[in-house]
């Protein structure tokens, strides 16, 4: 087992009615003037935003609100949030929503604690030295941003979608009430489940095979549970226990626990492939991952057929004894599962049209940062490989 540092300081308030404790939690973590950040309207329609504001008022905490976060959160709204936060003397960010809202809040929190342009962090020109404290009320199980150290935002001026990781942005608390996810449309639920599974797969497919039995065993068990729950939730969207399993797994999948001892290096190529499409074509993150994973898996399988065979047998229940055949059967079985959730399993299905060759080259050029970086660790992919994976994903 490799050495590791595991740092996940977020206080999780899991279960029904945690929302009513938001005021007390914010006060406990030092918030006096809060920027309440939310999305395109679901939190307003469900009455959640009112509940959050009432709880803050009951704890005597002042607040301002800023809604309008779109999926693939935009830099322009983040800049608006930073200006509002400065003007109002905000000292705490409260994100009410999913990964997009939490990531937008993290970016505002960085921006309020620095002098330069917040995009410099995402374009890797600067490192954050400070970040305002944040809390979150999670409304969709997916990105895992409620306990992760990362945020992903889109520069609406250039179409670049970029992530930035730093432990100082981890939420102080996360209110996780599974009933808040009952109102999700089926496509968002499935897309979220896909993202959760992908966070585990990205970490599982790292170089070196089994480096930690604990990491592998937890990952395989949680993936098997997600195979069951992701189907069941679409049939019974208001089944509390199923929603709860998915929500908690969403955090476990992305708080780094599952890579402890594994060298802390996942593959992450599929995330990079998706981020490029998300910035260009504004697709749902989980759906974008589903569209590239099968092509990626078949492209890299020969690098480590034994690892793919292990996934096939322990997660997908494949009984084939020869590794390569088992590996391919496992990939096909997972692809079938994604399809059964209503997810696209090709880029053509994702976008509803076939990409032109020039678009593939443009995506590969952007994804490789104009040919200056490679992606992936299981198999390292350069710009030409990236273009080929997109091509095979058509
Ligand atoms: O804006 P509203 O009206 O709230 O609608 C949202 C949005 O349209 C809707 N929704 C959320 N909760 C709802 C609801 N609708 C009804 N009822 C509810 N309870 O769902 C839609 C998607 O929301 P979004 O926040 O975009 O979803 P998700 O959590 O999947 O976040 C996706 C973003 O997170 C990034 C992705 O790249 C993408 O930008 N990621 C962030 C990560 C991180 N910070 O650690 C890691 C991930 O790998 C990912 O990259
Ligand atoms: Zn993801």
């Amino acid at each position: 087992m490799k050495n590791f540092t595991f740092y996940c300081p977020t206080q999780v308030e899991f279960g029904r009615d945690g929302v009513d404790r938001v005021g007390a939690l914010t006060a406990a973590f030092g918030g006096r003037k809060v920027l309440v950040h939310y999305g395109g309207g679901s939190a307003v329609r469900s009455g959640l935003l009112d509940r959050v504001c009432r709880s803050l008022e009951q704890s005597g905490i002042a607040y301002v609100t800023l809604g309008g976060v779109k999926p693939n959160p935009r830099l322009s709204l983040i800049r608006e949030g930073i200006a509002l936060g400065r003007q109002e003397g905000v000292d705490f960010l409260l994100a009410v929503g999913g990964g997009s809202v939490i990531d937008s809040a993290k970016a505002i929190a960085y921006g309020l604690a620095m002098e330069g342009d917040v995009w410099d962090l995402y374009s890797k020109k600067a490192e954050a030295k400070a970040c305002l404290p944040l809390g979150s009320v999670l409304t969709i199980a997916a990105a895992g941003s409620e306990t992760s150290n990362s945020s992903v935002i889109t520069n609406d001026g250039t179409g670049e979608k970029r992530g930035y990781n730093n432990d100082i942005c981890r939420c102080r608390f996360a209110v996780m009430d599974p009933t808040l996810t009952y109102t999700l449309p089926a496509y968002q639920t499935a897309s979220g489940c896909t993202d959760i599974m992908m966070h585990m797969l990205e970490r599982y497919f790292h170089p070196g095979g089994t480096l930690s039995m604990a990491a592998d065993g937890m990952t395989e068990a949680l993936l098997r549970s997600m195979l069951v729950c992701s189907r069941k939730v679409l049939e019974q969207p208001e089944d509390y226990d199923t929603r709860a399993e998915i929500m908690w797994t969403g955090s476990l999948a992305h708080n780094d626990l599952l890579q402890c001892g594994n060298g802390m290096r996942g593959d992450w190529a599929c995330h990079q492939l998706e981020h490029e499409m998300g910035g260009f074509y504004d697709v749902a993150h989980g759906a974008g991952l589903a569209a590239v994973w099968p092509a990626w898996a078949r492209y890299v399988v020969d690098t480590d057929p034994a690892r793919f065979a292990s996934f096939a047998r322990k997660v997908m229940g494949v009984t084939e004894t020869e590794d390569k055949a088992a590996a391919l059967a496992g990939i096909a079985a997972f692809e079938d599962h994604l399809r059964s959730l209503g997810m696209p399993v090709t880029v053509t299905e994702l976008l509803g049209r076939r990409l032109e060759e020039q678009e593939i080259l443009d995506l590969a050029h952007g994804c490789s940062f104009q040919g200056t970086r490679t992606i992936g660790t299981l198999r390292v992919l350069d710009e030409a490989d990236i273009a080929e994976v997109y091509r095979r994903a058509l």
Side-chain angles (χ1 to χ4, degrees), residues 39-43 45 69 71-73 97-101 103 106 139-140 142-145 148 150-152 161 180-181 183-185 188 192 195 199 254 268 271 274-275 285:
S42 74
R45 284 192 301 278
V69 178
N72 298 317
S100 296
V101 173
D103 288 2
K106 285 176 175 176
T139 64
I140 170 172
S145 185
S148 83
S150 74
S151 59
V152 189
K161 180 173 173 178
L180 298 180
T181 64
T183 51
L184 277 167
Q188 290 298 342
D195 193 20
H199 290 161
H254 203 41
W268 298 105
H271 267 71
E274 186 290 324
H275 284 174
H285 173 63

mmCIF file of all heavy atoms in Angstrom, residues 39-43 45 69 71-73 97-101 103 106 139-140 142-145 148 150-152 161 180-181 183-185 188 192 195 199 254 268 271 274-275 285, ligand 1:
data_model
loop_
_atom_site.group_PDB
_atom_site.id
_atom_site.type_symbol
_atom_site.label_atom_id
_atom_site.label_comp_id
_atom_site.label_asym_id
_atom_site.label_seq_id
_atom_site.Cartn_x
_atom_site.Cartn_y
_atom_site.Cartn_z
ATOM 1 N N GLY A 39 -29.367 27.991 -8.079
ATOM 2 C CA GLY A 39 -29.344 27.737 -9.519
ATOM 3 C C GLY A 39 -30.445 28.407 -10.297
ATOM 4 O O GLY A 39 -30.842 29.541 -10.026
ATOM 5 N N GLY A 40 -30.965 27.648 -11.260
ATOM 6 C CA GLY A 40 -31.906 28.236 -12.216
ATOM 7 C C GLY A 40 -33.342 28.256 -11.762
ATOM 8 O O GLY A 40 -34.204 28.727 -12.497
ATOM 9 N N GLY A 41 -33.655 27.748 -10.593
ATOM 10 C CA GLY A 41 -35.041 27.872 -10.152
ATOM 11 C C GLY A 41 -35.585 26.707 -9.342
ATOM 12 O O GLY A 41 -36.568 26.880 -8.626
ATOM 13 N N SER A 42 -34.965 25.503 -9.412
ATOM 14 C CA SER A 42 -35.574 24.364 -8.701
ATOM 15 C C SER A 42 -35.646 24.631 -7.196
ATOM 16 O O SER A 42 -36.629 24.246 -6.548
ATOM 17 C CB SER A 42 -34.820 23.065 -8.994
ATOM 18 O OG SER A 42 -33.585 23.018 -8.330
ATOM 19 N N ALA A 43 -34.654 25.302 -6.645
ATOM 20 C CA ALA A 43 -34.652 25.554 -5.194
ATOM 21 C C ALA A 43 -35.726 26.574 -4.798
ATOM 22 O O ALA A 43 -36.206 26.574 -3.666
ATOM 23 C CB ALA A 43 -33.270 26.036 -4.744
ATOM 24 N N ARG A 45 -38.677 26.912 -6.643
ATOM 25 C CA ARG A 45 -39.955 26.210 -6.871
ATOM 26 C C ARG A 45 -40.281 25.234 -5.740
ATOM 27 O O ARG A 45 -41.428 25.112 -5.336
ATOM 28 C CB ARG A 45 -39.912 25.435 -8.197
ATOM 29 C CG ARG A 45 -40.061 26.333 -9.420
ATOM 30 C CD ARG A 45 -40.313 25.494 -10.666
ATOM 31 N NE ARG A 45 -39.242 24.539 -10.944
ATOM 32 C CZ ARG A 45 -38.102 24.859 -11.572
ATOM 33 N NH1 ARG A 45 -37.897 26.101 -11.979
ATOM 34 N NH2 ARG A 45 -37.176 23.942 -11.797
ATOM 35 N N VAL A 69 -27.318 30.262 -11.319
ATOM 36 C CA VAL A 69 -26.203 29.390 -11.750
ATOM 37 C C VAL A 69 -26.735 28.364 -12.751
ATOM 38 O O VAL A 69 -27.759 27.724 -12.505
ATOM 39 C CB VAL A 69 -25.578 28.637 -10.555
ATOM 40 C CG1 VAL A 69 -24.457 27.716 -11.038
ATOM 41 C CG2 VAL A 69 -25.077 29.605 -9.510
ATOM 42 N N PRO A 71 -25.954 24.857 -15.210
ATOM 43 C CA PRO A 71 -25.022 23.727 -15.277
ATOM 44 C C PRO A 71 -23.822 24.128 -16.138
ATOM 45 O O PRO A 71 -23.994 24.893 -17.101
ATOM 46 C CB PRO A 71 -25.844 22.635 -15.966
ATOM 47 C CG PRO A 71 -27.276 22.977 -15.650
ATOM 48 C CD PRO A 71 -27.322 24.480 -15.630
ATOM 49 N N ASN A 72 -22.631 23.636 -15.806
ATOM 50 C CA ASN A 72 -21.384 24.175 -16.372
ATOM 51 C C ASN A 72 -21.301 25.658 -15.978
ATOM 52 O O ASN A 72 -21.438 26.549 -16.810
ATOM 53 C CB ASN A 72 -21.305 24.003 -17.898
ATOM 54 C CG ASN A 72 -21.333 22.540 -18.292
ATOM 55 O OD1 ASN A 72 -20.679 21.715 -17.668
ATOM 56 N ND2 ASN A 72 -22.109 22.210 -19.306
ATOM 57 N N PRO A 73 -21.129 25.926 -14.677
ATOM 58 C CA PRO A 73 -21.267 27.292 -14.148
ATOM 59 C C PRO A 73 -20.347 28.307 -14.814
ATOM 60 O O PRO A 73 -19.185 28.022 -15.081
ATOM 61 C CB PRO A 73 -20.936 27.131 -12.663
ATOM 62 C CG PRO A 73 -20.157 25.867 -12.570
ATOM 63 C CD PRO A 73 -20.657 24.979 -13.662
ATOM 64 N N GLY A 97 -27.778 23.811 -3.914
ATOM 65 C CA GLY A 97 -27.920 23.241 -5.252
ATOM 66 C C GLY A 97 -26.995 22.059 -5.449
ATOM 67 O O GLY A 97 -26.614 21.367 -4.509
ATOM 68 N N GLY A 98 -26.604 21.849 -6.712
ATOM 69 C CA GLY A 98 -25.750 20.726 -7.061
ATOM 70 C C GLY A 98 -24.312 21.152 -7.293
ATOM 71 O O GLY A 98 -23.872 22.223 -6.841
ATOM 72 N N GLY A 99 -23.593 20.328 -8.036
ATOM 73 C CA GLY A 99 -22.184 20.597 -8.281
ATOM 74 C C GLY A 99 -21.948 21.959 -8.910
ATOM 75 O O GLY A 99 -20.980 22.655 -8.558
ATOM 76 N N SER A 100 -22.832 22.353 -9.803
ATOM 77 C CA SER A 100 -22.613 23.637 -10.484
ATOM 78 C C SER A 100 -22.699 24.803 -9.510
ATOM 79 O O SER A 100 -21.884 25.729 -9.553
ATOM 80 C CB SER A 100 -23.629 23.810 -11.622
ATOM 81 O OG SER A 100 -23.412 22.813 -12.596
ATOM 82 N N VAL A 101 -23.696 24.747 -8.629
ATOM 83 C CA VAL A 101 -23.859 25.846 -7.664
ATOM 84 C C VAL A 101 -22.693 25.834 -6.661
ATOM 85 O O VAL A 101 -22.114 26.886 -6.343
ATOM 86 C CB VAL A 101 -25.218 25.725 -6.936
ATOM 87 C CG1 VAL A 101 -25.321 26.761 -5.824
ATOM 88 C CG2 VAL A 101 -26.370 25.877 -7.920
ATOM 89 N N ASP A 103 -19.693 24.639 -7.076
ATOM 90 C CA ASP A 103 -18.445 25.047 -7.744
ATOM 91 C C ASP A 103 -18.423 26.552 -7.996
ATOM 92 O O ASP A 103 -17.379 27.204 -7.864
ATOM 93 C CB ASP A 103 -18.278 24.294 -9.063
ATOM 94 C CG ASP A 103 -17.919 22.826 -8.824
ATOM 95 O OD1 ASP A 103 -17.840 22.414 -7.652
ATOM 96 O OD2 ASP A 103 -17.706 22.101 -9.817
ATOM 97 N N LYS A 106 -17.627 28.091 -4.745
ATOM 98 C CA LYS A 106 -16.198 27.948 -4.415
ATOM 99 C C LYS A 106 -15.382 29.005 -5.164
ATOM 100 O O LYS A 106 -14.472 29.623 -4.593
ATOM 101 C CB LYS A 106 -15.699 26.551 -4.791
ATOM 102 C CG LYS A 106 -16.163 25.441 -3.841
ATOM 103 C CD LYS A 106 -15.702 24.058 -4.323
ATOM 104 C CE LYS A 106 -16.064 22.956 -3.327
ATOM 105 N NZ LYS A 106 -15.720 21.598 -3.822
ATOM 106 N N THR A 139 -28.643 19.327 -3.483
ATOM 107 C CA THR A 139 -29.959 18.977 -4.047
ATOM 108 C C THR A 139 -29.871 17.916 -5.142
ATOM 109 O O THR A 139 -30.891 17.507 -5.676
ATOM 110 C CB THR A 139 -30.659 20.226 -4.626
ATOM 111 O OG1 THR A 139 -29.882 20.713 -5.730
ATOM 112 C CG2 THR A 139 -30.836 21.304 -3.582
ATOM 113 N N ILE A 140 -28.676 17.505 -5.518
ATOM 114 C CA ILE A 140 -28.524 16.435 -6.509
ATOM 115 C C ILE A 140 -27.286 15.631 -6.152
ATOM 116 O O ILE A 140 -26.234 16.206 -5.836
ATOM 117 C CB ILE A 140 -28.442 16.989 -7.963
ATOM 118 C CG1 ILE A 140 -28.036 15.899 -8.974
ATOM 119 C CG2 ILE A 140 -27.523 18.182 -8.089
ATOM 120 C CD1 ILE A 140 -28.121 16.336 -10.435
ATOM 121 N N ALA A 142 -24.347 13.699 -7.307
ATOM 122 C CA ALA A 142 -23.652 13.589 -8.591
ATOM 123 C C ALA A 142 -22.174 13.932 -8.445
ATOM 124 O O ALA A 142 -21.332 13.042 -8.260
ATOM 125 C CB ALA A 142 -24.307 14.518 -9.626
ATOM 126 N N ALA A 143 -21.878 15.236 -8.488
ATOM 127 C CA ALA A 143 -20.504 15.705 -8.640
ATOM 128 C C ALA A 143 -19.618 15.433 -7.426
ATOM 129 O O ALA A 143 -18.401 15.359 -7.549
ATOM 130 C CB ALA A 143 -20.507 17.198 -8.947
ATOM 131 N N GLY A 144 -20.219 15.328 -6.251
ATOM 132 C CA GLY A 144 -19.419 15.112 -5.050
ATOM 133 C C GLY A 144 -18.707 16.359 -4.576
ATOM 134 O O GLY A 144 -17.866 16.312 -3.673
ATOM 135 N N SER A 145 -19.067 17.493 -5.136
ATOM 136 C CA SER A 145 -18.379 18.743 -4.782
ATOM 137 C C SER A 145 -18.576 19.114 -3.318
ATOM 138 O O SER A 145 -17.780 19.849 -2.743
ATOM 139 C CB SER A 145 -18.876 19.881 -5.695
ATOM 140 O OG SER A 145 -18.162 21.055 -5.473
ATOM 141 N N SER A 148 -15.582 17.435 -1.929
ATOM 142 C CA SER A 148 -14.331 17.372 -2.703
ATOM 143 C C SER A 148 -13.524 18.662 -2.576
ATOM 144 O O SER A 148 -14.021 19.679 -2.086
ATOM 145 C CB SER A 148 -14.632 17.113 -4.186
ATOM 146 O OG SER A 148 -14.961 18.319 -4.849
ATOM 147 N N SER A 150 -12.349 20.141 -5.251
ATOM 148 C CA SER A 150 -12.246 20.706 -6.590
ATOM 149 C C SER A 150 -13.461 21.534 -6.974
ATOM 150 O O SER A 150 -14.525 21.451 -6.349
ATOM 151 C CB SER A 150 -11.994 19.600 -7.620
ATOM 152 O OG SER A 150 -13.167 18.879 -7.837
ATOM 153 N N SER A 151 -13.274 22.341 -7.992
ATOM 154 C CA SER A 151 -14.377 23.099 -8.587
ATOM 155 C C SER A 151 -14.075 23.210 -10.071
ATOM 156 O O SER A 151 -12.912 23.265 -10.479
ATOM 157 C CB SER A 151 -14.514 24.476 -7.946
ATOM 158 O OG SER A 151 -13.329 25.215 -8.084
ATOM 159 N N VAL A 152 -15.137 23.196 -10.857
ATOM 160 C CA VAL A 152 -14.996 23.214 -12.306
ATOM 161 C C VAL A 152 -15.910 24.299 -12.853
ATOM 162 O O VAL A 152 -17.113 24.274 -12.595
ATOM 163 C CB VAL A 152 -15.404 21.847 -12.923
ATOM 164 C CG1 VAL A 152 -15.054 21.805 -14.400
ATOM 165 C CG2 VAL A 152 -14.749 20.690 -12.192
ATOM 166 N N LYS A 161 -13.737 25.003 -20.292
ATOM 167 C CA LYS A 161 -14.202 24.487 -18.999
ATOM 168 C C LYS A 161 -12.980 23.947 -18.277
ATOM 169 O O LYS A 161 -12.308 23.054 -18.790
ATOM 170 C CB LYS A 161 -15.242 23.391 -19.228
ATOM 171 C CG LYS A 161 -15.803 22.775 -17.958
ATOM 172 C CD LYS A 161 -16.952 21.823 -18.248
ATOM 173 C CE LYS A 161 -17.370 21.089 -16.983
ATOM 174 N NZ LYS A 161 -18.505 20.197 -17.191
ATOM 175 N N LEU A 180 -34.546 15.889 -0.706
ATOM 176 C CA LEU A 180 -34.404 17.062 -1.588
ATOM 177 C C LEU A 180 -34.170 16.650 -3.035
ATOM 178 O O LEU A 180 -34.325 17.459 -3.947
ATOM 179 C CB LEU A 180 -33.254 17.965 -1.129
ATOM 180 C CG LEU A 180 -33.377 18.589 0.265
ATOM 181 C CD1 LEU A 180 -32.154 19.460 0.560
ATOM 182 C CD2 LEU A 180 -34.654 19.412 0.396
ATOM 183 N N THR A 181 -33.766 15.388 -3.247
ATOM 184 C CA THR A 181 -33.467 14.952 -4.622
ATOM 185 C C THR A 181 -34.683 14.313 -5.311
ATOM 186 O O THR A 181 -34.592 13.922 -6.472
ATOM 187 C CB THR A 181 -32.275 13.959 -4.648
ATOM 188 O OG1 THR A 181 -32.628 12.770 -3.936
ATOM 189 C CG2 THR A 181 -31.036 14.554 -4.001
ATOM 190 N N THR A 183 -37.269 15.608 -6.503
ATOM 191 C CA THR A 183 -37.833 16.406 -7.604
ATOM 192 C C THR A 183 -36.956 16.394 -8.860
ATOM 193 O O THR A 183 -37.312 17.021 -9.859
ATOM 194 C CB THR A 183 -38.009 17.880 -7.155
ATOM 195 O OG1 THR A 183 -36.769 18.326 -6.582
ATOM 196 C CG2 THR A 183 -39.127 18.018 -6.137
ATOM 197 N N LEU A 184 -35.842 15.683 -8.814
ATOM 198 C CA LEU A 184 -34.951 15.673 -9.989
ATOM 199 C C LEU A 184 -35.607 15.005 -11.193
ATOM 200 O O LEU A 184 -36.196 13.928 -11.059
ATOM 201 C CB LEU A 184 -33.679 14.892 -9.666
ATOM 202 C CG LEU A 184 -32.586 15.648 -8.925
ATOM 203 C CD1 LEU A 184 -31.551 14.662 -8.398
ATOM 204 C CD2 LEU A 184 -31.930 16.669 -9.837
ATOM 205 N N PRO A 185 -35.468 15.589 -12.389
ATOM 206 C CA PRO A 185 -35.892 14.875 -13.593
ATOM 207 C C PRO A 185 -35.062 13.594 -13.753
ATOM 208 O O PRO A 185 -33.900 13.541 -13.320
ATOM 209 C CB PRO A 185 -35.565 15.866 -14.723
ATOM 210 C CG PRO A 185 -35.327 17.179 -14.063
ATOM 211 C CD PRO A 185 -34.901 16.899 -12.656
ATOM 212 N N GLN A 188 -31.490 13.874 -15.108
ATOM 213 C CA GLN A 188 -30.495 14.419 -14.172
ATOM 214 C C GLN A 188 -30.122 13.376 -13.125
ATOM 215 O O GLN A 188 -28.969 13.273 -12.718
ATOM 216 C CB GLN A 188 -31.019 15.687 -13.492
ATOM 217 C CG GLN A 188 -31.138 16.897 -14.408
ATOM 218 C CD GLN A 188 -29.797 17.335 -14.978
ATOM 219 O OE1 GLN A 188 -28.740 16.974 -14.463
ATOM 220 N NE2 GLN A 188 -29.835 18.100 -16.052
ATOM 221 N N GLY A 192 -26.425 11.988 -12.800
ATOM 222 C CA GLY A 192 -25.737 12.057 -11.509
ATOM 223 C C GLY A 192 -25.189 10.700 -11.104
ATOM 224 O O GLY A 192 -24.038 10.583 -10.661
ATOM 225 N N ASP A 195 -22.102 9.960 -13.070
ATOM 226 C CA ASP A 195 -20.936 10.702 -12.587
ATOM 227 C C ASP A 195 -20.345 10.029 -11.345
ATOM 228 O O ASP A 195 -19.122 9.863 -11.215
ATOM 229 C CB ASP A 195 -21.345 12.149 -12.287
ATOM 230 C CG ASP A 195 -20.161 13.071 -12.078
ATOM 231 O OD1 ASP A 195 -19.041 12.714 -12.521
ATOM 232 O OD2 ASP A 195 -20.343 14.144 -11.477
ATOM 233 N N HIS A 199 -16.590 8.567 -10.997
ATOM 234 C CA HIS A 199 -15.579 9.005 -10.032
ATOM 235 C C HIS A 199 -14.866 7.804 -9.417
ATOM 236 O O HIS A 199 -13.683 7.861 -9.085
ATOM 237 C CB HIS A 199 -16.212 9.883 -8.953
ATOM 238 C CG HIS A 199 -16.648 11.212 -9.478
ATOM 239 N ND1 HIS A 199 -17.551 12.015 -8.850
ATOM 240 C CD2 HIS A 199 -16.301 11.860 -10.621
ATOM 241 C CE1 HIS A 199 -17.746 13.112 -9.573
ATOM 242 N NE2 HIS A 199 -16.990 13.038 -10.650
ATOM 243 N N HIS A 254 -16.045 10.638 -4.187
ATOM 244 C CA HIS A 254 -15.212 11.760 -4.646
ATOM 245 C C HIS A 254 -14.529 12.522 -3.514
ATOM 246 O O HIS A 254 -14.040 13.627 -3.711
ATOM 247 C CB HIS A 254 -16.085 12.699 -5.483
ATOM 248 C CG HIS A 254 -15.308 13.548 -6.443
ATOM 249 N ND1 HIS A 254 -14.252 13.075 -7.189
ATOM 250 C CD2 HIS A 254 -15.426 14.856 -6.774
ATOM 251 C CE1 HIS A 254 -13.767 14.041 -7.938
ATOM 252 N NE2 HIS A 254 -14.446 15.140 -7.697
ATOM 253 N N TRP A 268 -8.574 9.710 -14.908
ATOM 254 C CA TRP A 268 -9.224 10.997 -15.152
ATOM 255 C C TRP A 268 -9.268 11.433 -16.617
ATOM 256 O O TRP A 268 -9.667 12.549 -16.921
ATOM 257 C CB TRP A 268 -8.617 12.127 -14.275
ATOM 258 C CG TRP A 268 -8.832 11.824 -12.832
ATOM 259 C CD1 TRP A 268 -7.904 11.372 -11.938
ATOM 260 C CD2 TRP A 268 -10.085 11.863 -12.114
ATOM 261 N NE1 TRP A 268 -8.491 11.127 -10.714
ATOM 262 C CE2 TRP A 268 -9.813 11.425 -10.790
ATOM 263 C CE3 TRP A 268 -11.389 12.216 -12.448
ATOM 264 C CZ2 TRP A 268 -10.815 11.334 -9.818
ATOM 265 C CZ3 TRP A 268 -12.373 12.127 -11.478
ATOM 266 C CH2 TRP A 268 -12.084 11.694 -10.185
ATOM 267 N N HIS A 271 -12.838 12.337 -17.665
ATOM 268 C CA HIS A 271 -13.273 13.658 -17.179
ATOM 269 C C HIS A 271 -12.717 14.782 -18.049
ATOM 270 O O HIS A 271 -13.403 15.758 -18.334
ATOM 271 C CB HIS A 271 -12.883 13.848 -15.713
ATOM 272 C CG HIS A 271 -13.986 13.431 -14.782
ATOM 273 N ND1 HIS A 271 -14.329 12.119 -14.607
ATOM 274 C CD2 HIS A 271 -14.860 14.161 -14.038
ATOM 275 C CE1 HIS A 271 -15.358 12.051 -13.771
ATOM 276 N NE2 HIS A 271 -15.699 13.281 -13.412
ATOM 277 N N GLU A 274 -14.638 14.849 -21.252
ATOM 278 C CA GLU A 274 -15.979 15.424 -21.053
ATOM 279 C C GLU A 274 -15.901 16.923 -20.844
ATOM 280 O O GLU A 274 -16.720 17.663 -21.380
ATOM 281 C CB GLU A 274 -16.669 14.774 -19.845
ATOM 282 C CG GLU A 274 -18.127 15.213 -19.664
ATOM 283 C CD GLU A 274 -18.343 16.656 -19.224
ATOM 284 O OE1 GLU A 274 -17.546 17.183 -18.432
ATOM 285 O OE2 GLU A 274 -19.315 17.291 -19.682
ATOM 286 N N HIS A 275 -14.943 17.370 -20.039
ATOM 287 C CA HIS A 275 -14.883 18.811 -19.759
ATOM 288 C C HIS A 275 -14.768 19.608 -21.047
ATOM 289 O O HIS A 275 -15.376 20.673 -21.193
ATOM 290 C CB HIS A 275 -13.701 19.126 -18.833
ATOM 291 C CG HIS A 275 -13.959 18.741 -17.401
ATOM 292 N ND1 HIS A 275 -13.003 18.820 -16.423
ATOM 293 C CD2 HIS A 275 -15.065 18.266 -16.797
ATOM 294 C CE1 HIS A 275 -13.514 18.418 -15.269
ATOM 295 N NE2 HIS A 275 -14.763 18.077 -15.476
ATOM 296 N N HIS A 285 -22.857 16.843 -17.417
ATOM 297 C CA HIS A 285 -21.549 16.239 -17.148
ATOM 298 C C HIS A 285 -21.587 14.701 -17.167
ATOM 299 O O HIS A 285 -20.793 14.054 -17.855
ATOM 300 C CB HIS A 285 -21.042 16.778 -15.815
ATOM 301 C CG HIS A 285 -19.799 16.139 -15.311
ATOM 302 N ND1 HIS A 285 -18.604 16.219 -15.969
ATOM 303 C CD2 HIS A 285 -19.566 15.389 -14.193
ATOM 304 C CE1 HIS A 285 -17.680 15.554 -15.287
ATOM 305 N NE2 HIS A 285 -18.237 15.049 -14.210
HETATM 306 O O1 LIG B 1 -30.495 25.094 -11.635
HETATM 307 P P1 LIG B 1 -31.602 24.316 -11.098
HETATM 308 O O2 LIG B 1 -32.943 24.863 -11.415
HETATM 309 O O3 LIG B 1 -31.442 23.987 -9.638
HETATM 310 O O4 LIG B 1 -31.594 22.899 -11.911
HETATM 311 C C1 LIG B 1 -30.548 21.951 -11.782
HETATM 312 C C2 LIG B 1 -29.753 21.772 -13.064
HETATM 313 O O5 LIG B 1 -30.521 22.076 -14.183
HETATM 314 C C3 LIG B 1 -31.171 20.604 -11.588
HETATM 315 N N1 LIG B 1 -31.439 20.296 -10.198
HETATM 316 C C4 LIG B 1 -30.545 20.229 -9.184
HETATM 317 N N2 LIG B 1 -31.159 19.820 -8.071
HETATM 318 C C5 LIG B 1 -32.469 19.647 -8.377
HETATM 319 C C6 LIG B 1 -32.647 19.963 -9.734
HETATM 320 N N3 LIG B 1 -33.856 19.886 -10.344
HETATM 321 C C7 LIG B 1 -34.895 19.482 -9.601
HETATM 322 N N4 LIG B 1 -34.789 19.145 -8.302
HETATM 323 C C8 LIG B 1 -33.596 19.192 -7.664
HETATM 324 N N5 LIG B 1 -33.506 18.821 -6.378
HETATM 325 O O6 LIG B 1 -30.217 19.689 -12.075
HETATM 326 C C9 LIG B 1 -29.464 20.287 -13.109
HETATM 327 C C10 LIG B 1 -28.012 19.922 -12.945
HETATM 328 O O7 LIG B 1 -27.461 20.543 -11.815
HETATM 329 P P2 LIG B 1 -25.864 20.599 -11.631
HETATM 330 O O8 LIG B 1 -25.573 21.319 -10.380
HETATM 331 O O9 LIG B 1 -25.250 21.097 -12.893
HETATM 332 O O10 LIG B 1 -25.527 19.039 -11.490
HETATM 333 P P3 LIG B 1 -24.252 18.305 -10.978
HETATM 334 O O11 LIG B 1 -24.271 18.150 -9.507
HETATM 335 O O12 LIG B 1 -24.154 17.095 -11.822
HETATM 336 O O13 LIG B 1 -23.015 19.276 -11.300
HETATM 337 C C11 LIG B 1 -22.387 19.266 -12.537
HETATM 338 C C12 LIG B 1 -21.192 20.189 -12.518
HETATM 339 O O14 LIG B 1 -20.238 19.763 -11.541
HETATM 340 C C13 LIG B 1 -18.952 19.610 -12.188
HETATM 341 C C14 LIG B 1 -19.335 19.220 -13.581
HETATM 342 O O15 LIG B 1 -18.260 19.360 -14.477
HETATM 343 C C15 LIG B 1 -20.469 20.160 -13.869
HETATM 344 O O16 LIG B 1 -20.014 21.441 -14.204
HETATM 345 N N6 LIG B 1 -18.139 18.670 -11.430
HETATM 346 C C16 LIG B 1 -17.653 19.081 -10.257
HETATM 347 C C17 LIG B 1 -16.830 18.297 -9.485
HETATM 348 C C18 LIG B 1 -16.296 18.772 -8.197
HETATM 349 N N7 LIG B 1 -16.411 20.057 -7.897
HETATM 350 O O17 LIG B 1 -15.714 18.010 -7.415
HETATM 351 C C19 LIG B 1 -16.417 16.964 -9.909
HETATM 352 C C20 LIG B 1 -17.189 16.429 -11.051
HETATM 353 O O18 LIG B 1 -16.425 15.475 -11.710
HETATM 354 C C21 LIG B 1 -17.672 17.442 -12.025
HETATM 355 O O19 LIG B 1 -16.681 17.765 -12.979
#
